[in-house]
Amino acid sequence: MPWLLWLVSIVLGSIFAITTIPIQTELPALLPSSGSFSQQLFIDQLQSGPASKILLLGLQGTEPSLLAEASKTLAEAMRTQGQFLHVYNGEQTAGALNQGLLYQYRYLLSPPVSPDQFTTHGLRQTLQHRLQDLANPLPSFFKKQIPEDPTGAFQRVLQQLKSSNTFKMTHGVWFSSDQQTALLVAETAVSGFDLDGQEAIQSFLTTSMEDIRTILSPSSTLESLELIRSGPSVFAVQSRAVIQQDARWLSMLGGGFVIILLLVTYRSFTILCLSLVPLVTGLLVAVITVYIGFDFVHGMTLAFGASLIGVAIDYPLHACAHLESNRSPRAIIKQIWPTIRLGALTTAIGYGAMLFSGFPGLSQLGLFAITGLLTAAATTRWLLPVLVPTKVTTPIPWATWLPLQHIGSQLIIIVPISMVLSLTYLGWSEKPFWEMDIANLSPIPQHLRDRDAWLRKELGAPAVRDMMVVVAPDEQGVLEQSENLKATLDRLVDQGHMTGYEMAADYLPSIRTQALRQEALPQRTSLEHHLREAQHDLPFKPDLFEPFLKSVAKTKHLTPLDHESVTGTPLGTKIHSLLYPLQDQWIGTILLRDVNNRQALQQTIHTEALKGVHYVDLKTESNHMVTTYRQEVTTYLAIGIGCLILILSIGLQSITKTATVLLPIAGAIILDVAILHALGERLSLLHLAALLLVFGIGLDYTLFFQRPHTTVVERQRTISAILVCSLTTITVFGLLACSQTPVLHGIGLTVFLGSLICFVFAAICSPFQHHQAT
């Protein structure tokens, strides 16, 4: 039985797709592997950059002692879970500092270290400052270190590390400045835009918090204890969840309406199921074809591709609308096949231009749309006839209620008038036409963005936008070049172009600099002599600073620190976010704070010819990449439309007929864009994808409206089918336009308006008077 063979094929194909085909969700997979250095850096930051993997966490809602306990418990759970590279909350930091690398290497890490510090004059000034410290309420930890570190080198190292944050220790962990929030910072093992991996991490955190509430308050759940989260990965997961939730309930409403409409119209559950056969077949074949071509299918390709080939559901609706008990389904479908074939071929060719795009996302979408449309059309032509039952009910003739044949010729002037008015309005309007800021497409509400800014401020994590990037063959090359940049950066700060900067070399000097600082340390005999003279008349015991003498002597023979030496320490986490290998080179990012003159920074790099140094504005780069993507989409669409017009002209064998078909579609799209513009919508890639769907829908409507008919009944059946197709599309996307999510709202509103206008324009441009039968 044919239907059984088809069902087995669909089941086997679905099993193969589910078990074998990887559905990627990472945004960088859609982007090109070549481009400018800045664009590649932006993509690499998305894929594996440390900044994308940082989680900012805060515990609040109860007293500080319980918050501290919750912080320690959560941090321990995260460290043992395996999905985090590093987790820090301040535990044991203060107690371990004097025994750790920071204290041991304080003279190599502390700026400045010069021979003048260890002369008699320099040491005497230092000892006098220490006497003042002893008389003041200096923390006992530092007072105890005076015999071994009278120069205060360790304090300067700590000051350098803490210069970018406002950590406060309470009950042994980090707290916010107002003491109401326990702070944690973590780096995940998976990429920040591996949404499935990041969603699993968020689920783990949620489960851990439930356990912590029970542990802290066994008798009653501590509901007030709350974990606040932020970071790029958190926003990405939340965005997907919001979009999925919105799309789910809107699709349920729209799907329910479509099912009811089809059941009422065709009065057959079998016909309802048959209408899905071409679409399901097209989707499955498209997914497998994209997998064969690209080795993976992206989630966005699947979502947008399914929308683009959604017009395929119209094919079986047209076929079923003409079914008659006294005629074979094969003959009926064969009769309307030329119109379906022409519509599918021309639409597929329009999408086909995207195959040659340099953006993998566009290429995937083009291949998906072409394969899906042609498969759905072929399924309608050759499979559907053998699945249709011999006895069918006559569908409701909705067209008899519409007096289209009486008003079409009278209103046709509306189309060219609307086109002229729309183009005039768009040409004279001063409102921005394109959406240039990708952030405006985010569904994340403002209060969560404000929370992110607050957490970053408390944790000392800058809102990364502006940076200079140093590229060198190895780690030491990056550190040395960064150190050479300091004078230039200090000058930019003094000129008011920015307020500060942060680089890996601030925390880990190059081996060259560490060696120079070692050379600046005196020999023991010289240091002992100067120290003895400096102590004259000061109330210090003669041998009090023996640990200082030993420490300096030991430091002169230490092996300088490098990137690997500090891995796994708080210092290592800091450096890892600013200095890391990338392919066959090393990258050093210098974060710039509060930049207010970006042109000056770019000009400085250009005029001083700084080799291996690049200024990157991540927001500008992301927006530029989206603009480039949009321009390429527009270019390939123009090429596709040109090919489409050519194929349509060949298929219709008449330039006049081709113009008659394209006029209502062009008029509908132009009016659609004008209305969107008037409503304040700025066009983005999402709108372009939606307009692609509008074009496919309009072509379907127009071809069937202008299809020759032999009888009035046949004509009414065609119009009824178009009306049903239009109602389903308008309802589904009209509901989508009600979404508060910018992505869904933009797509829904564009297709809702476009499909509605396409139906009206195609109807009034249809030459009824030439195809009426007697």
Side-chain angles (χ1 to χ4, degrees):
M1 296 178 67
W3 67 266
L4 183 60
L5 180 62
W6 172 83
L7 185 61
V8 171
S9 301
I10 291 297
V11 170
L12 292 177
S14 299
I15 293 174
F16 170 78
I18 293 172
T19 58
T20 305
I21 299 178
I23 305 297
Q24 289 197 16
T25 56
E26 296 189 29
L27 178 62
L30 292 175
L31 303 177
S33 56
S34 61
S36 68
F37 174 82
S38 298
Q39 290 179 346
Q40 284 304 301
L41 178 69
F42 173 72
I43 295 172
D44 290 327
Q45 285 287 331
L46 288 180
Q47 287 178 318
S48 56
S52 70
K53 299 188 288 185
I54 294 297
L55 274 180
L56 309 177
L57 305 174
L59 288 159
Q60 55 187 209
T62 187
E63 59 186 78
S65 60
L66 288 178
L67 291 177
E69 192 63 33
S71 173
K72 295 173 184 177
T73 306
L74 179 60
E76 182 60 28
M78 293 169 68
R79 293 186 185 111
T80 58
Q81 198 265 347
Q83 291 182 313
F84 300 90
L85 296 177
H86 309 290
V87 180
Y88 297 109
N89 66 338
E91 285 185 275
Q92 300 180 345
T93 301
L97 283 176
N98 62 331
Q99 300 296 329
L101 286 174
L102 292 181
Y103 190 78
Q104 184 182 5
Y105 279 82
R106 61 191 181 277
Y107 290 111
L108 302 190
L109 302 179
S110 169
V113 175
S114 66
D116 292 341
Q117 290 179 272
F118 302 98
T119 62
T120 300
H121 177 71
L123 288 171
R124 188 169 181 84
Q125 283 187 324
T126 295
L127 294 179
Q128 288 173 339
H129 287 315
R130 297 296 82 79
L131 282 175
Q132 295 175 4
D133 290 340
L134 289 171
N136 294 322
L138 188 71
S140 59
F141 169 76
F142 293 111
K143 290 182 179 180
K144 291 178 181 179
Q145 299 306 318
I146 287 178
E148 192 173 4
D149 185 23
T151 62
F154 187 52
Q155 286 181 262
R156 290 193 294 272
V157 172
L158 293 184
Q159 185 63 35
Q160 181 83 350
L161 285 173
K162 293 183 177 182
S163 61
S164 62
N165 61 57
T166 56
F167 290 157
K168 294 185 182 297
M169 297 293 294
T170 301
H171 300 290
V173 298
W174 290 332
F175 265 78
S176 60
S177 55
D178 61 5
Q179 301 289 293
Q180 299 299 308
T181 306
L183 303 172
L184 301 90
V185 61
E187 182 180 352
T188 62
V190 298
S191 165
F193 287 88
D194 177 359
L195 298 188
D196 292 332
Q198 290 294 338
E199 187 172 17
I201 289 174
Q202 296 303 317
S203 298
F204 164 76
L205 292 175
T206 299
T207 303
S208 298
M209 285 304 300
E210 294 173 356
D211 296 338
I212 289 172
R213 291 188 187 100
T214 304
I215 293 171
L216 293 181
S217 182
S219 57
S220 61
T221 305
L222 192 61
E223 296 293 345
S224 61
L225 179 61
E226 176 190 9
L227 176 67
I228 59 176
R229 320 166 195 191
S230 195
S233 61
V234 175
F235 281 173
V237 171
Q238 289 178 337
S239 296
R240 184 172 72 168
V242 169
I243 293 172
Q244 287 178 339
Q245 181 181 4
D246 235 5
R248 190 177 297 115
W249 75 267
L250 291 170
S251 298
M252 289 175 62
L253 288 176
F257 173 83
V258 171
I259 291 173
I260 293 173
L261 177 63
L262 295 184
L263 287 175
V264 170
T265 300
Y266 295 99
R267 292 173 287 180
S268 169
F269 184 76
T270 301
I271 297 298
L272 173 64
C273 294
L274 288 177
S275 67
L276 298 175
V277 169
L279 182 61
V280 171
T281 308
L283 282 172
L284 184 58
V285 173
V287 168
I288 295 175
T289 304
V290 170
Y291 168 66
I292 293 173
F294 292 86
D295 294 328
F296 74 96
V297 178
H298 200 278
M300 291 184 69
T301 299
L302 190 58
F304 283 111
S307 297
L308 288 180
I309 69 172
V311 68
I313 199 173
D314 292 358
Y315 302 157
L317 294 182
H318 286 298
C320 293
H322 291 80
L323 293 176
E324 299 178 18
S325 298
N326 59 350
R327 295 181 64 193
S328 69
R330 188 180 300 277
I332 293 172
I333 294 177
K334 183 179 180 181
Q335 183 180 1
I336 66 172
W337 168 243
T339 305
I340 293 177
R341 179 183 60 198
L342 182 58
L345 280 175
T346 51
T347 305
I349 289 172
Y351 295 156
M354 293 188 294
L355 283 173
F356 306 100
S357 169
F359 285 79
L362 279 181
S363 300
Q364 274 202 10
L365 188 59
L367 181 59
F368 190 103
I370 292 172
T371 309
L373 276 175
L374 296 181
T375 301
T379 302
T380 302
R381 172 63 180 88
W382 285 284
L383 179 61
L384 206 61
V386 299
L387 298 180
V388 174
T390 55
K391 293 184 178 182
V392 294
T393 57
T394 303
I396 293 178
W398 299 108
T400 58
W401 301 349
L402 296 177
L404 296 178
Q405 64 271 25
H406 301 301
I407 64 175
S409 59
Q410 301 172 11
L411 300 179
I412 193 170
I413 192 65
I414 292 177
V415 178
I417 290 177
S418 69
M419 292 176 68
V420 172
L421 292 178
S422 297
L423 290 173
T424 302
Y425 166 69
L426 291 172
W428 283 93
S429 175
E430 296 182 355
K431 292 192 297 184
F433 186 77
W434 296 108
E435 178 57 76
M436 306 301 294
D437 190 350
I438 194 174
N440 291 333
L441 301 178
S442 172
I444 300 300
Q446 187 60 45
H447 75 274
L448 292 182
R449 301 185 200 183
D450 294 339
R451 174 188 288 178
D452 177 76
W454 178 79
L455 273 175
R456 288 185 178 278
K457 179 181 178 182
E458 293 292 335
L459 282 163
V464 180
R465 171 179 174 175
D466 300 282
M467 61 174 66
M468 284 190 179
V469 178
V470 180
V471 184
D474 53 40
E475 166 197 347
Q476 292 305 311
V478 171
L479 291 174
E480 291 176 9
Q481 179 74 317
S482 299
E483 291 169 342
N484 295 338
L485 267 177
K486 285 189 175 183
T488 299
L489 295 174
D490 289 337
R491 187 175 69 252
L492 290 170
V493 172
D494 294 338
Q495 293 172 348
H497 300 316
M498 61 183 183
T499 61
Y501 59 90
E502 181 180 12
M503 62 172 65
D506 290 336
Y507 312 111
L508 179 65
S510 65
I511 290 178
R512 179 189 66 181
T513 298
Q514 293 182 61
L516 290 174
R517 291 176 180 176
Q518 280 181 313
E519 292 178 8
L521 297 174
Q523 297 294 333
R524 179 184 173 100
T525 54
S526 174
L527 179 59
E528 190 173 11
H529 169 73
H530 290 300
L531 182 60
R532 190 183 307 113
E533 291 186 348
Q535 284 183 260
H536 183 68
D537 293 334
L538 295 179
F540 292 110
K541 294 180 180 180
D543 58 348
L544 178 66
F545 298 107
E546 180 64 23
F548 170 54
L549 298 173
K550 292 180 179 180
S551 180
V552 172
K554 182 179 179 180
T555 301
K556 287 186 68 66
H557 301 288
L558 288 176
T559 301
L561 290 175
D562 60 14
H563 184 262
E564 293 184 359
S565 304
V566 297
T567 299
T569 68
L571 178 63
T573 301
K574 187 77 149 180
I575 293 169
H576 176 60
S577 65
L578 301 170
L579 177 68
Y580 51 91
L582 180 64
Q583 298 175 359
D584 58 347
Q585 56 192 2
W586 277 75
I587 302 293
T589 57
I590 303 175
L591 305 181
L592 311 177
R593 294 193 181 94
D594 301 326
V595 175
N596 53 45
N597 191 341
R598 294 180 173 85
Q599 185 177 359
L601 270 63
Q602 293 173 327
Q603 187 176 358
T604 297
I605 292 178
H606 178 72
T607 56
E608 298 191 12
L610 299 173
K611 184 179 179 181
V613 180
H614 308 264
Y615 168 68
V616 179
D617 177 355
L618 290 181
K619 181 176 182 179
T620 299
E621 286 301 327
S622 63
N623 292 338
H624 176 68
M625 184 169 292
V626 170
T627 301
T628 303
Y629 210 160
R630 186 195 69 227
Q631 290 172 344
E632 185 161 330
V633 169
T634 306
T635 300
Y636 283 110
L637 284 181
I639 296 173
I641 290 173
C643 296
L644 181 152
I645 294 173
L646 177 63
I647 298 300
L648 197 60
S649 300
I650 295 174
L652 295 175
Q653 299 180 345
S654 169
I655 297 297
T656 303
K657 288 183 179 180
T658 302
T660 305
V661 168
L662 293 178
L663 177 65
I665 302 173
I669 290 178
I670 293 172
L671 181 56
D672 189 0
V673 171
I675 294 174
L676 290 173
H677 189 69
L679 293 175
E681 289 280 326
R682 299 182 184 181
L683 297 195
S684 67
L685 281 171
L686 306 175
H687 295 89
L688 290 180
L691 289 172
L692 265 178
L693 179 55
V694 170
F695 185 91
I697 292 170
L699 186 62
D700 174 72
Y701 294 170
T702 308
L703 286 175
F704 273 94
F705 261 123
Q706 300 196 14
R707 173 177 167 264
H709 301 86
T710 57
T711 67
V712 173
V713 173
E714 182 185 356
R715 177 71 176 173
Q716 289 178 341
R717 288 177 176 175
T718 296
I719 296 174
S720 294
I722 297 173
L723 183 59
V724 170
C725 294
S726 179
L727 282 174
T728 58
T729 303
I730 290 171
T731 301
V732 170
F733 285 96
L735 286 171
L736 210 59
C738 298
S739 171
Q740 298 301 310
T741 303
V743 172
L744 299 180
H745 172 75
I747 294 173
L749 184 60
T750 303
V751 180
F752 167 75
L753 292 172
S755 58
L756 178 60
I757 301 170
C758 276
F759 176 80
V760 174
F761 281 10
I764 64 179
C765 288
S766 177
F768 290 94
Q769 63 276 16
H770 299 303
H771 300 300
Q772 296 288 348
T774 59

